[in-house]
Amino acid sequence: MDSVFKALADPTRRDLLDKLFKEDGQTLNALEAGFDMTRFGISKHLKILEEAGLVVARKQGREKLHFLNPVPIRLIHDRWVSKYAEPWAAALSDLKSRLESPMEKIFEIYIKTTPERLWEAITNSEIRSKYSFGMRLESDWTPGSRFVMASDGGAPLGEGENLEVDPPRRLVQSMRALWGEDVKAEGTSRVTWEIEPVGDDSCHLTVTHDQLREGANDQLYGGWPMILSGLKTWLETGEKLTTPGSLLYT
């Protein structure tokens, strides 16, 4: 977490995060506009933000786009806020809400586990309920098959189709939320899970939630930082998060 605090300590880097909050998925040319700094200087700041996991860079054609990743902020919140002071909670909650813009969202996290164990945690209904607001996810996990999200004995809270199933590397799903009339009206979006081994004992997990309309209800994607924080916590410690909302449907 030291790298996150270091990255956030610099006002230029905070301004870059603010620019990505206002418009996610920007090029270097777009981001350097308005700064009294060379292109090289902005690139150095972006590299520090990427190393801290606060920014994710992705090639799109000939351009390199930069996306905000709020997961490290969520991890700081989960580790420190409940232990210390309410003013911290208010400040981090405000920052969290500012980071969650209604555009294509990319989240990444590093977890000390194997690809096989991470895949099991994503696709096993019992394990899924431990970090995904208490919701189970039932499917036979074949390409083109259906999945349903629900709490124990409750009505479906979400549904979709498994578009690509490539264990233990990649899972692509369509998703339609059903927990309220407001999110039902948003229709279908897409979630992509990508697992990359790192070293001998860790994984880099990237979750991309896209095909969201501009201005989509933030209930559709706002819970990802808490879900991924809970996934990391469970795989590395065997414990469940008890932060507000993390066990909503248990």
Side-chain angles (χ1 to χ4, degrees):
M1 291 188 182
D2 289 347
S3 62
V4 178
F5 286 114
K6 175 184 175 182
L8 292 173
D10 185 90
T12 298
R13 292 193 283 272
R14 293 196 299 271
D15 287 343
L16 285 168
L17 292 179
D18 283 338
K19 290 195 72 171
L20 288 174
F21 158 71
K22 293 176 182 176
E23 182 181 347
D24 217 355
Q26 294 192 57
T27 64
L28 176 58
N29 284 339
L31 286 170
E32 68 178 333
F35 286 99
D36 186 19
M37 186 178 295
T38 65
R39 182 185 182 89
F40 178 71
I42 295 297
S43 294
K44 287 181 64 176
H45 282 300
L46 285 171
K47 182 178 180 182
I48 292 173
L49 290 169
E50 288 182 49
E51 290 172 347
L54 291 164
V55 167
V56 179
R58 176 158 298 184
K59 290 285 289 184
Q60 194 170 100
R62 300 179 62 181
E63 295 185 320
K64 183 178 181 181
L65 303 183
H66 301 82
F67 293 84
L68 210 52
N69 177 35
V71 173
I73 301 296
R74 180 77 246 180
L75 292 173
I76 291 173
H77 177 279
D78 291 336
R79 177 170 178 179
W80 297 104
V81 171
S82 61
K83 294 182 180 180
Y84 297 103
E86 182 63 27
W88 277 89
L92 287 172
S93 177
D94 176 65
L95 179 57
K96 175 177 179 292
S97 65
R98 290 170 57 209
L99 292 179
E100 294 173 352
S101 65
M103 301 174 68
E104 175 187 22
K105 300 304 297 179
I106 300 176
F107 307 89
E108 66 172 17
I109 193 169
Y110 288 86
I111 304 176
K112 190 172 184 180
T113 190
T114 64
E116 292 77 14
R117 191 160 176 254
L118 178 51
W119 180 270
E120 180 187 23
I122 294 168
T123 58
N124 182 282
S125 182
E126 178 64 28
I127 298 175
R128 187 73 172 248
S129 69
K130 297 180 184 299
Y131 64 86
S132 190
F133 304 110
M135 290 191 291
R136 298 174 181 274
L137 197 151
E138 301 290 348
S139 176
D140 66 11
W141 300 110
T142 56
S145 62
R146 183 171 179 262
F147 72 85
V148 177
M149 298 185 297
S151 58
D152 280 333
L157 296 166
E159 63 182 7
E161 179 183 346
N162 298 308
L163 305 173
E164 296 180 39
V165 183
D166 182 18
R169 294 181 290 272
R170 179 177 168 89
L171 175 65
V172 183
Q173 301 172 293
S174 64
M175 196 275 283
R176 180 169 178 254
L178 301 175
W179 59 78
E181 294 303 320
D182 49 353
V183 292
K184 283 184 184 179
E186 295 288 349
T188 301
S189 57
R190 183 177 63 181
V191 176
T192 301
W193 305 73
E194 296 173 289
I195 300 170
E196 179 185 0
V198 178
D200 296 328
D201 62 355
S202 297
C203 290
H204 175 215
L205 173 63
T206 303
V207 174
T208 303
H209 195 163
D210 61 3
Q211 297 186 358
L212 294 159
R213 71 172 181 85
E214 188 73 21
N217 191 311
D218 62 5
Q219 290 183 51
L220 295 177
Y221 56 83
W224 281 115
M226 189 181 294
I227 289 172
L228 296 182
S229 181
L231 172 60
K232 176 180 174 69
T233 298
W234 189 84
L235 283 170
E236 293 182 347
T237 70
E239 298 180 356
K240 294 188 289 188
L241 287 181
T242 57
T243 51
S246 59
L247 301 176
L248 182 62
Y249 296 107
T250 55

